[in-house]
Amino acid sequence: MSERFFPDSMPQPMADATTLPWWQAAAEHRLVVQRCTACQHTRLPPAPICSECRSTDADWKEVSGRGEVYTYTIVHRPIAADQELPYVIAVIALEDAGGVRIISNVVDVSPDVIAVGLPVELVWEDMSADLAIPRFRPRRP
Amino acid sequence: MSRPKAHIVGVGESAYARWGKIGDVTEHALACQAIQRAVADAGLSLDDVDGLASFAEDRNEAIFMAAELGLPALRFANMVWMTGGGGGCAAISNAAMAVETGQAEVVVVYRALCQGQFFRFGTGGMDASAPPKPEPPTVQHANSLFLASMGFAIPYGLLMAAAAYALPTRRHMHLYGTTSAQLGHIAVTFREHASRNPRAVMGSRPMTLDDHQASPMIADPHRLFDCCLESDGACAVVITTAERARDLAKGRVEILASDQGAPKGYAFGPFTNANIADDLYATGACEEMAGRLWGKAGLGPKDVDVAQIYDHFTGCVLMQLEDFGFCARGEGGPFIESGALSWHGGSLPTNTHGGGLSEAYIHGLNHVVEGVRALRGESTSPVENAEVCLVTSGACVPSSAVLLGKT
């Protein structure tokens, strides 16, 4: 099991048939974005149709997990039992994902360091044997 | 060829209280009370009402409300999309369309909230004191598109609106240098308006900028006083045809124009969507809608005498002021600091009731009520000779707005 940052009591993701493959890839520690095979437009969350060319053909592109903080909030109220406060929710602009951003957390970071533009890297948190959540931490040199 | 425009002819509300303080009355009883008062204010009877509209998944379904109220017939019932307060003015718009096209003659728009009896918005429905479930965490089945979308937010703890709308506000601060003190001016101004309004939940509690800056951080940059109240209460608005409105004694207000919706790819906005277009992210996403609204009315920002701006969070007010063209993009902070929003001498007197920040959070339908009062000369913070009032609903979600005109 990986390092833990959040307690088991955190809200659990919900998925339907369109989004479940994304979570299955996450369970294997693969961060993916959905890519239209007709026009190469990438998207997240997954959707049944390309918003740009309306093709329904798509595949999954694995990305590096490098990126930078696009925006963030430092949250001082718990939503789950035994949660460490404060915690950082951020939008991460992914580096090699066709411009796609992802909502996540920045962990291992002091509130003084968090800033828009901060370079970050992916760190997986295994919440259980079949649930892994992608989080981010300041990029190490 | 344009049809005669629908009019608002009555407004009413229950008493407003802090969340959980109305426990002895059901939410639908509160809705009935607000509707009765609004209909009486219009000089009408419930026997005249043949349509009902609400928004934000109002629990008090029109078919049951119509039966409880003894409406002779329910000819029009409408519920706007699900994203909370963004649907308030859209419900007004839909009611106006109904009466303008003859689907109904008198439509009441209502919204009732008893958060203590259901769930408190600020918690996102989570109980932070609940122990973890014994089963290991896993991916749950999403039985709606909304829940599948929330799957990309809640595992990160993004469940509170205060955190969700902190994201675009922080980006705005990064891009334009907007400050917490500038946001504080919004909260302080609206509190001052509330202090003049006996209906306001926070009317007896003055606030200074220092109070704002000393209030606890909830989700940076949102301090407690940047967040709207969590309230119990109900209000209602009666809409009818221009022809019918002419026969009614009380001051009627014309719905000059209305518009609703979201820009391309917006979905639920920053709550679940990290991929909002870059030039749209640090905005209220109301700019396109504002353009359509001004176009329909043949008016512009300079024609607005008083505004009721949806204020779930101070940053969202600031971004809407830019969206609607009251100041340039990025200039919201200095615009607010100039005192523009004050009822007394401001260039754009705003939220003369105290808003969701200080009167009550009834998902913004109370902003429509106040818009009507402002043009009737009934506001407790009156703006002299006010002829045009902008009312907005939402921002940072699919949104709506109406322009009201004195008749």
Side-chain angles (χ1 to χ4, degrees), chain A residues 12-13 15 70-71 73 76 101 128, chain B residues 137 140 167 220 274-276 278:
Chain A
Q12 296 169 17
Y70 182 77
T71 188
T73 176
H76 294 256
R101 303 179 213 118
S128 69
Chain B
Q140 305 289 327
L167 296 170
D220 185 349
N275 290 294
I276 298 163
D278 186 50

Side-chain angles (χ1 to χ4, degrees), chain A residues 70 99 101, chain B residues 168 171-172 175-176 263-266 274-288 319 322-323 329-330:
Chain A
Y70 182 77
R101 303 179 213 118
Chain B
R171 179 103 187 136
H172 195 281
L175 291 173
Y176 307 114
K264 182 181 178 182
Y266 202 66
N275 290 294
I276 298 163
D278 186 50
D279 60 359
L280 205 58
Y281 194 94
T283 79
C286 297
E287 194 171 357
E288 284 179 8
M319 292 186 283
E322 298 175 359
D323 289 352
R329 180 71 60 205

Side-chain angles (χ1 to χ4, degrees), chain A residues 6 10-13 22-23 26 31 44 73 75 79 83 87-90 92 102-107 122-125 127 131-136, chain B residues 149-160 163 271-272:
Chain A
F6 287 87
M10 286 294 282
Q12 296 169 17
W22 191 90
W23 290 103
L31 183 65
L44 194 69
T73 176
V75 186
I79 57 151
Q83 200 181 340
Y87 65 105
V88 177
I89 298 172
I92 308 298
I102 184 173
I103 294 168
S104 184
N105 303 108
V106 181
V107 295
L122 175 64
V123 52
W124 288 102
E125 180 174 10
M127 305 298 285
L131 177 62
I133 305 288
R135 310 206 201 263
F136 293 80
Chain B
S149 162
M150 288 299 277
F152 289 87
I154 67 170
Y156 311 105
L158 186 48
L159 205 56
M160 287 191 304
F271 217 124
T272 61

Side-chain angles (χ1 to χ4, degrees), chain B residues 191-221:
Chain B
R191 182 62 58 88
E192 189 204 333
H193 298 170
S195 74
R196 307 171 47 78
N197 171 8
R199 284 178 284 264
V201 173
M202 300 303 275
S204 61
R205 301 180 58 176
M207 186 201 296
T208 65
L209 195 55
D210 286 344
D211 294 333
H212 171 272
Q213 291 291 293
S215 69
M217 195 64 89
I218 304 294
D220 185 349

Side-chain angles (χ1 to χ4, degrees), chain B residues 119-127 159:
Chain B
F119 81 92
R120 193 180 160 188
F121 284 129
T123 64
M126 288 287 288
D127 176 3
L159 205 56

